[in-house]
Amino acid sequence: MNRAITSIFIAGVALVLMSAGAAQTTAPMQQQHMGHSFGDAEKWAKEFDNPQRDAWQKPDEVLDALHLQRTDKVADIGAGTGYFSVRIAKRVPDGKVFSVDIEPDMVRYLGERAHREHLSGLVPVLAAAGPNLPEPVDLVLVVDTYHHIDNRTSYFAKLKNSLVPNGRLAIVDFKVDAPEGPPPKDRVPPEKTIAELDAAGYSLVATHSFLPRQYFLVFQPKGS
C-alpha cells in the first residue's frame, strides 16, 4: 500500500460486521494521508488492485510462504479493496478471512466484492477502537499498514488475544529505500519493527527476503 493500502490507518481492530449492524466506536486513526481521502473505494481500487503491483508485491509468493491451510482463519489488517483478502479467501475455502479496514466505504466495497466473486468466507470488518476480532485466528497479516498504527507495542500486545495457540503475525512493509511507499520519515525499518514486537511479546520466527521493495517478517507470541 502505501499506496496500495494507505487507506488503512489502524489504531485498533474492533470489528463491526457490516451485516450485524453493531454500533461503531471511534477509531483513533487518520482517515487521510498526504492529502488523500480514501472514501471513494471504486477510485482507489484502480490503483490498489492494479495488476502492475503484482510485479513487486508478489502476492502469490507471499501467501505461498505462509503455507495457509484450507481451514485457516485469517485477519487481513488494512485490507483496502481486498488485494490480499480475495487471494486468501480462495486459499482457505473451508476457513474464513476477516477483511479489516478503517474506511467505511472500503468495507462496503469489500462486501460487494465478496458477493460479486462468490467468496462466502470473506467477512468485511470495520475497524474501530481496540482489537476485538470475533474469534481467534490462525494468522494476522498486516501489509503496508504497520507504519500507520499508533501505539504499536500496546496494539500488538492486545492483538495476541486474537491469535490461536501457535498463531502467527506476518508484517510486510516498505524498506527505507523503496521507491514506493510513504515519505521516508514515516517508514519503520525492520529492526525497529522487530524491537517493538519483541516488547509486545512476540518472537521473530521467519524472515523472507524475496520482496524487492518490502521486508517480510513472521512472528509468534512468546511461549507459543
Side-chain angles (χ1 to χ4, degrees):
M1 184 152 85
N2 222 284
R3 289 194 307 223
I5 302 181
T6 48
S7 66
I8 329 125
F9 308 111
I10 311 262
V13 175
L15 350 156
V16 182
L17 299 183
M18 297 301 283
S19 61
Q24 177 184 356
T25 56
T26 301
M29 290 166 346
Q30 301 170 337
Q31 295 198 28
Q32 294 188 354
H33 185 61
M34 295 187 293
H36 296 308
S37 170
F38 296 93
D40 187 345
E42 280 77 8
K43 180 187 74 173
W44 288 105
K46 296 175 183 178
E47 181 172 347
F48 295 172
D49 297 305
N50 188 328
Q52 293 181 358
R53 178 184 175 191
D54 297 354
W56 55 267
Q57 185 65 82
K58 299 183 182 295
D60 292 327
E61 290 92 331
V62 169
L63 296 181
D64 287 346
L66 292 171
H67 304 292
L68 296 174
Q69 304 299 308
R70 290 177 59 90
T71 57
D72 278 349
K73 295 176 181 177
V74 181
D76 180 12
I77 304 299
T81 53
Y83 180 84
F84 268 100
S85 290
V86 166
R87 289 174 169 86
I88 295 168
K90 293 175 181 178
R91 293 188 180 221
V92 296
D94 301 319
K96 192 175 295 184
V97 182
F98 296 110
S99 195
V100 183
D101 201 284
I102 188 68
E103 173 56 58
D105 199 52
M106 292 293 181
V107 176
R108 173 198 60 78
Y109 182 91
L110 286 163
E112 293 176 358
R113 184 173 184 182
H115 178 74
R116 182 171 65 248
E117 300 186 25
H118 307 290
L119 299 171
S120 60
L122 194 159
V123 180
V125 171
L126 183 64
N132 186 31
L133 289 166
E135 55 187 300
V137 296
D138 299 282
L139 172 71
V140 172
L141 177 64
V142 184
V143 177
D144 301 341
T145 301
Y146 185 84
H147 62 276
H148 290 302
I149 298 173
D150 293 326
N151 303 315
R152 288 186 291 265
T153 298
S154 174
Y155 171 77
F156 284 101
K158 294 176 182 176
L159 191 64
K160 288 186 295 183
N161 295 327
S162 294
L163 288 171
V164 302
N166 299 315
R168 295 172 296 157
L169 166 65
I171 305 291
V172 177
D173 217 313
F174 287 100
K175 298 175 182 178
V176 174
D177 60 352
E180 298 282 341
K185 66 181 179 61
D186 295 332
R187 303 185 189 195
V188 181
E191 298 81 8
K192 185 175 181 180
T193 299
I194 294 168
E196 289 177 346
L197 291 175
D198 177 73
Y202 293 83
S203 297
L204 179 67
V205 296
T207 301
H208 301 288
S209 58
F210 58 82
L211 294 174
R213 303 180 184 183
Q214 299 151 300
Y215 55 88
F216 179 8
L217 309 173
V218 183
F219 300 84
Q220 283 185 313
K222 295 177 182 179
S224 293

